[in-house]
Amino acid sequence: MDNFKRTLTDASTFVSRAVQYTEEKLGKAERTELDPHLTTLDKRTENTKTLTEKIKNNAIAVLVPNPAARAESLFFDNVPVDKIGLKNERLTNLEYLGKDMIDAGNEFGTGTPYGAALIRVGQTEQKLGVIEKEYIRTGNEGMIAPLQRFLDGEMKNLIRERKVL
């Protein structure tokens, strides 16, 4: 019986809000004016949401400038590919360059100055590639993930509460 009363109360609240909204749109009733402070907070909330989304998207673009690599990263992050046996073994551009330089250095020979230099620089490029991967990972964990949690959690709740008003 208690559930029935609660359902009936919720339904009547919904119907009265629908009637009020319809009357406001048709011009038969005055629109309920919100407190100016609440209106200011509403504008700040919307502005915060927009700017946070912009910062998050721009940070992603800085961390991984290649759109195809971003799409691949998004795929590997969101799809459980490890269950089907796929692994993200993609090397960074620096790692590819380092590998090619090491291969070329070995081809010229480690005894030649040019070959030895290519190998040393290639190893350094590979180290830079590993550092780049770590930078991208920590940037995602330290900046992008918290911003996304804020947008998905608190901001979504604020928008839901705003719609109730």
Side-chain angles (χ1 to χ4, degrees):
M1 189 67 171
D2 200 28
N3 285 339
F4 179 72
K5 286 182 182 179
R6 189 175 306 133
T7 304
L8 192 60
T9 303
D10 290 345
S12 91
T13 301
F14 177 75
V15 168
S16 67
R17 285 188 180 165
V19 167
Q20 179 184 2
Y21 180 78
T22 305
E23 287 177 349
E24 286 175 358
K25 289 297 178 183
L26 294 176
K28 292 183 179 178
E30 284 187 30
R31 178 168 168 78
T32 305
E33 291 300 322
L34 298 174
D35 182 31
H37 179 67
L38 190 60
T39 306
T40 304
L41 286 176
D42 182 41
K43 288 178 185 173
R44 286 181 58 194
T45 301
E46 189 61 37
N47 195 22
T48 301
K49 178 182 180 247
T50 304
L51 292 174
T52 303
E53 287 173 342
K54 193 175 191 179
I55 290 169
K56 182 193 73 129
N57 292 335
N58 288 340
I60 290 171
V62 166
L63 287 176
V64 184
N66 183 347
R70 277 199 306 264
E72 181 180 335
S73 166
L74 182 68
F75 174 75
F76 277 104
D77 290 345
N78 294 326
V79 176
V81 292
D82 54 339
K83 292 181 181 177
I84 58 175
L86 293 177
K87 292 183 180 178
N88 189 3
E89 298 290 331
R90 178 167 164 44
L91 298 176
T92 64
N93 290 337
L94 291 170
E95 289 173 315
Y96 279 124
L97 176 62
K99 182 183 175 309
D100 290 342
M101 291 177 98
I102 290 171
D103 291 345
N106 287 330
E107 188 70 30
F108 282 111
T110 57
T112 65
Y114 185 56
L118 282 173
I119 291 172
R120 277 196 312 269
V121 174
Q123 291 168 343
T124 304
E125 291 292 334
Q126 286 184 326
K127 289 177 186 175
L128 285 172
V130 171
I131 292 169
E132 180 185 18
K133 280 183 181 176
E134 181 66 18
Y135 170 71
I136 291 169
R137 188 186 63 72
T138 56
N140 279 324
E141 290 174 359
M143 182 177 179
I144 294 170
L147 288 175
Q148 188 63 49
R149 280 194 302 272
F150 169 73
L151 288 171
D152 291 343
E154 295 176 34
M155 190 55 68
K156 205 172 262 188
N157 290 339
L158 286 170
I159 291 171
R160 188 178 322 117
E161 292 296 325
R162 183 176 67 185
K163 287 180 182 177
V164 169
L165 293 176

